[in-house]
């Protein structure tokens, strides 16, 4: 009785949808995502017992070419033992490579930048990312401030180390998770007290690894917390991935605005072409806990609006100087996840405005192109 059943199973009609579902369990060696999601599977044709699959690889000499062919054949023949599986490999044309992102499963990359340190850029990055997630988006976070990685502390991940997973013989980094959000940081690799002494090429290599060698899930937004200024890390970012837009962080005072203008103008250079989504004015005023309705403009007024006007964008929101924002960051529980209403509301409003600005940017402008490296 078993033999006839087995014979009937082998003669069962091959279902194209079942094949696609099986192929979706295989991983792209470059991104770690399934090969169907990243559109590596160009065609699947079924003709009786013949299954013809076309795989699109960056080149015909791709190092994982043979492994991928055998994996496709093996996974289909486990389901349909009688299937004759033929896998054809084609190289993506230069045009299609230019049009497709190296991270096709990540819809938007948002850089959070400032001209000078100490303006609360990392606090904005963390709470913006968690605010976007709170609004229902799939969000990831990169701590690209390699010299001063503070996000592990702000998310309560001090001392944690990411795991490494093998994908077709290539080691990939599994990001850590905080509040249901994948995160990567230099702070997960070095000891907290260890000085990070790196020059340009090494900085660039680590930033590229954070994008290309980390197993990011499918995301609506990937928020990148940049170091202050306009150095190697910023340049490597725009040379590695197409950045959807930048969020500028400043305090109201003139010194912070003057430095933020320089960082903003780097994104707006003709050969960079990253639009400014908006401005966050941090430490807009001081409100003591015992006098919640009082506002003391310690750093002046109007800096955020001025920078938004200069960038032809909008003021995404103003964050008051509240003791609980600092305390919650030090405790590893960002203010947007606390009961501090004023702090949480400020960042949630910034997240809502960022979503609107990204949608408007994507509707009105062509995708950002990766900046070509120049000697």
């Amino acid at each position: 009785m078993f033999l006839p059943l087995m014979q009937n199973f082998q003669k069962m009609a091959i279902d194209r949808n079942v094949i696609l579902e099986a192929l979706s369990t295989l991983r792209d060696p470059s991104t770690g995502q399934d090969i169907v999601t990243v559109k590596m599977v160009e065609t699947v044709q079924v003709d009786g017992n013949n299954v013809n699959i076309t795989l699109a690889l960056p080149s015909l000499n791709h190092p994982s070419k043979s492994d991928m062919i055998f994996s496709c054949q093996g996974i289909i023949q486990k389901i349909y033992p009688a299937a004759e599986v033929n896998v054809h490999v084609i190289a993506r044309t230069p045009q299609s490579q230019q049009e497709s992102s190296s991270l096709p499963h990540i819809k938007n990359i948002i850089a959070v930048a400032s001209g000078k340190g100490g303006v609360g850029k990392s606090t904005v990055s963390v709470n913006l990312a968690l605010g976007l997630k709170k609004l229902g988006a799939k969000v990831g976070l990169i701590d690209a401030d390699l010299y001063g990685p503070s996000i592990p502390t702000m998310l309560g991940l001090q001392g944690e180390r990411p795991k490494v997973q093998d994908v077709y013989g290539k080691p990939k980094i599994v990001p850590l998770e905080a509040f249901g959000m994948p995160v990567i940081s230099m702070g997960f690799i070095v000891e907290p007290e260890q000085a990070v002494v790196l020059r340009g090429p090494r900085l660039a290599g680590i930033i590229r690894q954070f994008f290309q060698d980390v197993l990011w899930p499918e995301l609506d937004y990937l928020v990148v917390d940049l170091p202050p200024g306009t150095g190697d890390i910023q340049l490597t970012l725009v040379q590695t991935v197409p950045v959807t837009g930048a969020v500028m962080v400043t305090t109201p005072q003139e010194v912070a605005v003057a430095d933020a203008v320089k960082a903003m103008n780097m994104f707006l250079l003709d050969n960079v072409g990253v639009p400014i989504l908006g401005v966050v004015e941090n430490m807009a005023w001081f409100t003591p806990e015992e006098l919640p309705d009082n506002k003391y403009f310690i750093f002046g007024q109007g800096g955020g609006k001025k920078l938004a006007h200069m960038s032809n964008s909008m003021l995404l929101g103003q964050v008051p100087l509240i003791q609980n924002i600092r305390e919650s960051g030090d405790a590893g529980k960002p203010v947007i996840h606390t009961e501090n209403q004023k702090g949480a509301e400020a960042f949630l409003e910034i997240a809502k405005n960022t979503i609107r600005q990204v949608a408007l940017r994507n509707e009105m402008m062509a995708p950002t192109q990766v900046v070509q490296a120049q000697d």
Side-chain angles (χ1 to χ4, degrees):
M1 182 175 178
F2 175 74
L3 187 59
L5 282 174
M6 192 66 185
Q7 289 171 339
N8 287 337
F9 179 73
Q10 291 182 350
K11 292 178 182 178
M12 184 171 55
I14 296 175
D15 188 329
R16 183 177 179 275
N17 291 328
V18 172
I19 289 175
L20 281 171
E21 188 176 345
L23 292 175
S24 70
T25 64
L26 301 179
R27 299 292 170 184
D28 169 16
S30 298
T31 66
Q33 294 299 298
D34 75 77
I35 63 174
V36 176
T37 297
V38 298
K39 297 180 172 56
M40 188 175 284
V41 180
E42 288 272 321
T43 60
V44 174
Q45 296 176 330
V46 177
D47 182 13
N49 277 353
N50 293 316
V51 178
N52 294 303
I53 299 168
T54 303
L55 289 181
L57 298 178
S59 76
L60 294 179
N61 298 319
H62 194 280
S64 300
K65 174 181 170 183
S66 296
D67 288 339
M68 296 198 66
I69 290 172
F70 291 133
S71 295
C72 290
Q73 290 172 332
I75 202 163
I76 292 168
Q77 286 175 334
K78 277 185 180 178
I79 303 169
Y80 299 110
E84 292 289 335
V85 183
N86 302 297
V87 180
H88 310 278
V89 176
I90 62 172
R92 291 193 187 277
T93 64
Q95 170 122 10
S96 65
Q97 277 186 315
Q98 186 178 17
E99 290 175 352
S100 64
S101 166
S102 59
L103 298 168
H105 56 299
I106 297 176
K107 294 178 183 176
N108 299 286
I109 297 173
I110 300 173
V112 179
S114 69
K116 66 195 303 293
V119 298
K121 177 181 46 56
S122 294
T123 298
V124 170
S125 296
V126 167
N127 285 284
L128 169 61
L130 291 172
L132 293 169
K133 187 176 186 306
K134 210 167 187 179
L135 293 170
K138 291 176 282 188
V139 188
L141 178 62
I142 289 180
D143 184 358
D145 192 346
L146 302 188
Y147 288 128
S150 53
I151 281 177
T153 299
M154 293 185 174
L155 292 175
L157 295 173
Q158 307 100 309
E160 298 288 335
R161 295 287 182 265
K163 294 180 180 178
V164 176
Q165 182 176 319
D166 186 273
V167 179
Y168 293 107
K170 293 179 68 176
K172 295 287 184 177
I173 302 167
V174 180
L176 293 177
E177 193 170 288
F179 303 96
M181 177 178 69
V183 187
I184 196 68
S185 170
M186 187 69 170
F188 301 148
I189 301 167
V190 300
E191 296 299 326
E193 67 279 1
Q194 183 178 340
V196 179
V197 183
L198 297 170
R199 290 193 174 184
R202 287 291 295 127
L203 290 172
I206 292 169
I207 292 300
R208 283 194 290 268
Q209 276 192 301
F210 280 0
F211 287 99
Q212 298 168 354
D213 292 335
V214 172
L215 294 174
W216 294 108
E218 189 175 349
L219 298 174
D220 297 310
Y221 304 97
L222 179 57
V223 177
V224 184
D225 178 32
L226 290 170
T230 55
D232 289 329
I233 291 175
Q234 285 82 350
L235 184 58
T236 301
L237 171 68
V238 297
Q239 289 178 338
T240 304
V241 290
V243 179
T244 305
V247 171
M248 304 304 304
V249 181
T250 185
T251 60
Q253 71 184 114
E254 188 59 37
V255 172
V257 174
D259 286 338
V261 169
K262 298 167 190 169
M264 174 191 78
N265 285 337
M266 183 212 73
F267 289 111
L268 297 178
L269 288 170
D270 289 340
N271 63 331
V272 176
V274 173
I276 306 301
L277 299 172
V279 175
V280 174
E281 186 183 76
N282 195 25
M283 308 180 206
W285 57 80
F286 170 60
T287 297
E289 189 174 353
E290 64 275 10
L291 298 169
D293 296 324
N294 286 27
K295 293 182 179 180
Y296 301 94
F297 297 94
I298 296 173
F299 297 110
Q301 296 185 61
K305 286 184 179 179
K306 181 179 179 180
L307 186 61
H309 177 73
M310 294 174 73
S311 63
N312 196 28
S313 62
M314 71 169 288
L315 185 62
L316 297 169
Q318 295 173 292
V319 182
L321 183 58
I322 300 174
Q323 183 173 335
N324 182 257
I325 294 179
R326 191 273 304 164
E327 290 175 342
S328 60
D330 287 349
K333 189 175 182 181
V335 71
I336 201 162
H337 277 290
T338 68
E339 295 179 358
N340 186 291
Q341 193 172 358
K342 288 187 182 294
E345 283 179 354
F347 283 113
L348 201 59
E349 182 66 20
I350 290 167
K352 288 176 182 176
N353 286 330
T354 300
I355 289 174
R356 292 192 197 101
Q357 287 294 94
V358 169
L360 185 63
R361 174 256 179 275
N362 289 340
E363 184 179 343
M364 302 296 292
M365 301 175 68
T368 306
Q369 297 299 310
V370 173
V371 175
Q372 298 304 309
Q374 297 180 354
D375 296 331

